[in-house]
């Protein structure tokens, strides 16, 4: 069996893989949550307008 890494060192950035995965999953969950609540954040009625329009 041929070992590519003779010193049995970890590949670079291996300690960061879990954190990167958690951040990615968090962004995916946030994106799905904002898509689910997007229609509830839009106004349901037209805002009231003022009865007098001031001409300057």
């Amino acid at each position: 069996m041929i070992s590519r890494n003779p010193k049995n060192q970890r590949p670079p950035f291996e300690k960061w893989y879990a954190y990167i995965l958690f951040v990615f999953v968090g962004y995916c969950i946030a994106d799905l949550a904002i898509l689910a609540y997007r229609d509830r954040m839009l106004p349901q009625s037209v805002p009231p307008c003022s009865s007098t329009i001031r001409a300057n």
Side-chain angles (χ1 to χ4, degrees):
M1 188 166 160
I2 298 173
S3 176
R4 290 185 180 184
N5 199 347
K7 296 180 182 179
N8 289 330
Q9 293 178 352
R10 290 182 167 186
F13 303 112
E14 184 178 356
K15 64 181 178 181
W16 296 103
Y17 291 162
Y19 298 114
I20 292 170
L21 178 66
F22 290 142
V23 168
F24 177 72
V25 169
Y27 275 116
C28 289
I29 291 171
D31 187 43
L32 292 175
I34 199 69
L35 286 175
Y37 290 109
R38 184 178 181 185
D39 58 341
R40 295 179 186 150
M41 291 188 288
L42 294 172
Q44 299 295 324
S45 62
V46 179
C49 63
S50 62
S51 60
T52 59
I53 299 175
R54 296 181 185 175
N56 291 329

